[in-house]
Each structure stands twice: as structure tokens, then as C-alpha cells.
Amino acid sequence: TNPDLMREADPSRTDLLLCLTDSDETNLICAVLGRSLGIQRVVPSIARPEMERLLDDLQLNEAITSASTIADKLLSMLDGKG
């Protein structure tokens, strides 16, 4: 979540930023920072369901959440792929 380090990575040439620490708060800050630097697609990982409500407030349309991970696995199982 270091802005200077993120600027050095040249956000204008970055297609995707994954925010995958073990801290929901850090991941949300990383995603908001990435978006403010111009990265169009930011995807934070959110483990706690109560934190998921912030995604809409922060206008983060994509996230890796426990619910989405479980749903993907269940769909995969139902399709016979998992």
C-alpha cells in the first residue's frame, strides 16, 4: 500500500491489481489506492462478510470473497469439474 512503490510500477501500464494480503483493511486500502492511481481493474480479497458491504461504498465492483469462492466451487462441482 505504499503509493510511491505503486507509482514506480507504472499504473498506466497495469491491467490488473490483485490485493491479496491477510488483512481486509489493507486490501481495501490497496484497491482504493490503485484505483486512484488510474488502475482500472482492482480486485481485493475480503475474508470477513461484514467488510463486503464496503465494496459498494468504495465502488469496487470485483472482489475475491469467501462467498464468491464457495459459490464458484459449488458451481464447478455441479458442472462435474470439481
Side-chain angles (χ1 to χ4, degrees):
T1 59
N2 181 327
D4 293 331
L5 183 62
M6 290 180 80
R7 282 187 198 95
E8 285 179 30
D10 195 2
S12 66
R13 296 182 47 154
T14 303
D15 295 322
L16 171 66
L17 174 64
L18 297 172
C19 306
L20 305 174
T21 73
D22 61 352
S23 166
D24 289 348
E25 292 84 355
T26 300
N27 293 337
L28 288 171
I29 291 169
C30 177
V32 170
L33 178 59
R35 178 69 51 75
S36 74
L37 292 173
I39 300 171
Q40 294 299 309
R41 190 170 180 204
V42 295
V43 182
S45 174
I46 304 297
R48 298 190 327 255
E50 64 271 15
M51 297 295 283
E52 290 180 36
R53 287 178 265 163
L54 293 174
L55 295 170
D56 286 336
D57 294 341
L58 297 172
Q59 299 177 349
L60 297 169
N61 301 323
E62 295 182 271
I64 299 168
T65 64
S66 298
S68 67
T69 303
I70 291 169
D72 288 345
K73 180 63 176 171
L74 288 173
L75 287 174
S76 179
M77 289 170 63
L78 291 172
D79 287 341
K81 299 176 187 173

